[in-house]
Amino acid sequence: MPGKRSLVRSGTTVDQMVRAIADRIVTGYLRPGERLDEGSLAARFDVSRTPVREALGHLSAMGLVERRPNRGAIVAVITQEHLASMFESMAELEAICARFSAARMTGGERRSLEIEHLASARLVQIGAEEDYEYFNTEFHTRLYRGAHNTHVYDLTVMTRSRLAPFRRAQFMLPGRLAKSWQEHDVIVTAIMRGDGMAAGKAARDHVSIVSEASAVFAAVDPVHPEFSQSARR
Amino acid sequence: MPGKRSLVRSGTTVDQMVRAIADRIVTGYLRPGERLDEGSLAARFDVSRTPVREALGHLSAMGLVERRPNRGAIVAVITQEHLASMFESMAELEAICARFSAARMTGGERRSLEIEHLASARLVQIGAEEDYEYFNTEFHTRLYRGAHNTHVYDLTVMTRSRLAPFRRAQFMLPGRLAKSWQEHDVIVTAIMRGDGMAAGKAARDHVSIVSEASAVFAAVDPVHPEFSQSARR
DNA sequence: AGAGCATAAAGTGCATGCACTTGCCTCGCC
DNA sequence: GGCGAGGCAAGTGCATGCACTTTATGCTCT
């Protein structure tokens, strides 16, 4: 019966489904190539197939799932080549954001970027990887916003979300935390003195390094072998 | 009754709907802010509301329509600011494509790019605006492909399609045809000698000029006042 | 007469049902 | 024993129906 949802969260049912499924893909709970059966998903979340179908449509448009007509949906399989192309795009997009940020950030934006960045040095010292990862995301988001270009922001965030599953392990390499901070520092310094070219180059290099650090883990593909089939009689 | 479609084209019904509606938006037949009533669209194309809904979902993900929960969908209203951000992104994306193309195009790609470009000079001479516009699209597509980066290609094509409605009139400015060709020429020359920086700059400038040429018409918003409500008793 | 409220109409959101497609499995055939 | 045709089960694609939300309309009361 419509109107009463068991796990009441927010937005329409379709939105919830999109978030729920996207989350499971991005966190790696659902693995590339894994079958996404409409019926099972519907049962799993206690909704009908209609919103699940719509959600799969959205996710397909976002590139997180692949849909073959009449043949169901699977979690998008990213080839090594496509992955590389996404990391490269990401580097370019971040370079654009940094370059624009250097030229356009307001005083407030510059201040808070620098303050937060300096504060994060503590997280590096104490080796708080979890917290640093959260800060790292914030830091990059500031760059994207600082560019003051909504479309670039959208493209960048979209690309980042697509890469999310492949970046999980980036801080597991020893010493990556401190290196990351230093790379951020170069970007911040360039932005503070309004040097767009330097900021762009620093941002591009930063992402390229992350890309290499992540590529190591891309081939491995860890996480959950199960899920997806428990509601199959 | 499912299985028999009146206007048999290709792909699933949803795909047809996406193309049909997107086409009407991109060509300006449906104007920004115009109401997209599921029932009317369904009747208009002789399908049920389900595929129409899914299509609207896709279009919403593509940014061509806006959807307010429980309040229906409208053709996306692009603010002047957002439009500017998209043109700026486009310039940056094309710059990336040109830069990469200069470094990565194969011999064959370079040759055909140059040949086609030189051939298009004729279209300029005889003032074949229609034909030149077609060639122009091809030319840019070559640049996107030449970058050899599928994700950048996707982002660029996506952005271009979103800008399409606002570029309709770009060749209506007197002398724009010849100017366009000369700008292309700078890009091609730079690519042929493998100068990525110059190619990128030339491409960025080219798009910026198109942007300005188009901005003139953005405010006007021509085309069809009717449609959308004839199936309302 | 105008503001506020009730009520109806329109339209969206989701559930359900059925036809069609696909993939698998079995059975007959060579 | 391998191979192809037929049939079966699972699953997708779309249509339809109903509940809920929003919006338009008319009515009352001040």
Side-chain angles (χ1 to χ4, degrees):
Chain A
M1 66 227 69
K4 291 293 147 208
R5 192 86 300 116
S6 49
L7 295 166
V8 184
R9 291 225 299 188
S10 69
T12 70
T13 305
V14 173
D15 282 348
Q16 294 177 33
M17 298 306 304
V18 170
R19 280 199 298 272
I21 300 172
D23 192 58
R24 279 164 177 71
I25 294 175
V26 165
T27 61
Y29 188 76
L30 288 169
R31 283 164 51 207
E34 191 155 355
R35 193 77 188 280
L36 293 171
D37 169 57
E38 298 177 1
S40 310
L41 287 171
R44 176 89 177 64
F45 294 105
D46 191 34
V47 296
S48 84
R49 277 179 47 227
T50 310
V52 172
R53 274 185 68 74
E54 272 193 57
L56 289 177
H58 285 214
L59 293 165
S60 160
M62 294 164 58
L64 281 176
V65 321
E66 257 169 69
R67 249 186 163 180
R68 292 99 30 107
N70 286 314
R71 305 186 55 214
I74 58 174
V75 177
V77 174
I78 314 279
T79 65
Q80 206 59 237
E81 186 196 338
H82 191 199
L83 184 62
S85 91
M86 286 198 291
F87 269 117
E88 190 177 61
S89 310
M90 195 67 204
E92 295 298 328
L93 287 169
E94 294 234 14
I96 293 171
C97 289
R99 174 153 49 85
F100 284 2
S101 284
R104 301 179 185 174
M105 270 190 163
T106 65
E109 283 172 330
R110 282 167 208 277
R111 263 192 298 283
S112 59
L113 179 75
E114 186 167 41
I115 289 170
E116 292 295 320
H117 167 60
L118 292 176
S120 77
R122 246 204 103 46
L123 300 177
V124 177
Q125 281 183 339
I126 62 176
E129 301 187 356
E130 194 90 345
D131 291 343
Y132 186 81
E133 183 152 357
Y134 175 78
F135 161 78
N136 183 58
T137 304
E138 277 292 304
F139 177 83
H140 284 273
T141 304
R142 279 173 202 280
L143 283 190
Y144 310 159
R145 284 204 204 290
H148 293 282
N149 178 312
T150 55
H151 191 66
V152 165
Y153 177 84
D154 291 344
L155 295 179
T156 310
V157 168
M158 196 184 97
T159 302
R160 176 171 69 175
S161 82
R162 288 251 257 155
L163 282 172
F166 303 97
R167 277 199 315 212
R168 255 169 292 132
Q170 70 170 292
F171 293 124
M172 289 170 66
L173 292 181
R176 188 72 200 94
L177 225 59
K179 283 271 216 173
S180 168
W181 192 89
Q182 275 159 18
E183 288 156 23
H184 284 191
D185 199 56
V186 178
I187 299 172
V188 171
T189 305
I191 288 179
M192 294 312 279
R193 69 170 191 272
D195 187 342
M197 282 306 155
K201 180 178 183 330
R204 178 164 27 228
D205 293 348
H206 176 52
V207 177
S208 298
I209 291 170
V210 170
S211 156
E212 281 155 33
S214 304
V216 179
F217 294 90
V220 185
D221 203 358
V223 275
H224 287 242
E226 87 284 0
F227 182 81
S228 110
Q229 267 26 13
S230 50
R232 196 179 230 169
R233 35 167 194 86
Chain B
M1 66 227 70
K4 292 292 148 212
R5 192 88 298 118
S6 48
L7 294 166
V8 185
R9 290 226 298 190
S10 70
T12 69
T13 305
V14 173
D15 282 348
Q16 294 178 33
M17 297 307 302
V18 170
R19 280 199 298 273
I21 300 173
D23 192 58
R24 279 166 176 70
I25 294 175
V26 165
T27 60
Y29 189 76
L30 288 170
R31 283 162 52 206
E34 192 155 354
R35 193 77 189 280
L36 293 171
D37 169 56
E38 297 178 1
S40 310
L41 287 170
R44 177 90 175 63
F45 294 105
D46 191 32
V47 297
S48 83
R49 276 178 48 225
T50 309
V52 172
R53 276 185 65 75
E54 273 193 57
L56 290 177
H58 284 215
L59 293 165
S60 160
M62 294 164 61
L64 280 176
V65 321
E66 256 169 69
R67 248 185 162 181
R68 295 98 30 107
N70 285 313
R71 306 186 52 213
I74 58 173
V75 177
V77 173
I78 314 279
T79 65
Q80 206 59 237
E81 186 196 338
H82 192 201
L83 184 62
S85 91
M86 286 199 292
F87 269 118
E88 190 176 61
S89 310
M90 195 66 204
E92 294 297 329
L93 287 169
E94 294 235 13
I96 293 171
C97 289
R99 175 153 48 86
F100 285 1
S101 283
R104 302 179 184 173
M105 270 189 163
T106 66
E109 284 171 330
R110 282 168 208 276
R111 262 191 299 283
S112 58
L113 179 75
E114 186 167 41
I115 290 169
E116 292 296 320
H117 167 62
L118 292 176
S120 76
R122 250 206 101 45
L123 300 177
V124 178
Q125 281 183 337
I126 62 176
E129 301 186 355
E130 194 91 346
D131 291 344
Y132 185 80
E133 183 152 356
Y134 175 79
F135 160 79
N136 182 58
T137 304
E138 276 293 304
F139 177 83
H140 285 273
T141 303
R142 279 174 202 279
L143 283 190
Y144 310 159
R145 282 204 205 288
H148 293 282
N149 178 310
T150 55
H151 191 66
V152 164
Y153 177 84
D154 291 344
L155 296 180
T156 309
V157 168
M158 196 184 97
T159 301
R160 176 171 68 175
S161 82
R162 288 194 61 179
L163 282 172
F166 304 97
R167 276 199 317 213
R168 255 168 292 132
Q170 70 169 293
F171 292 124
M172 288 169 66
L173 292 181
R176 186 74 201 93
L177 224 61
K179 283 272 216 172
S180 168
W181 191 90
Q182 275 160 16
E183 288 155 23
H184 284 192
D185 199 56
V186 178
I187 299 173
V188 171
T189 305
I191 288 179
M192 293 313 279
R193 68 169 193 273
D195 186 342
M197 283 307 155
K201 180 176 184 333
R204 179 163 27 228
D205 293 347
H206 175 52
V207 176
S208 298
I209 291 170
V210 170
S211 155
E212 281 155 33
S214 304
V216 179
F217 294 90
V220 185
D221 202 359
V223 276
H224 287 243
E226 86 284 0
F227 183 81
S228 112
Q229 268 24 15
S230 49
R232 196 179 230 170
R233 29 166 201 88

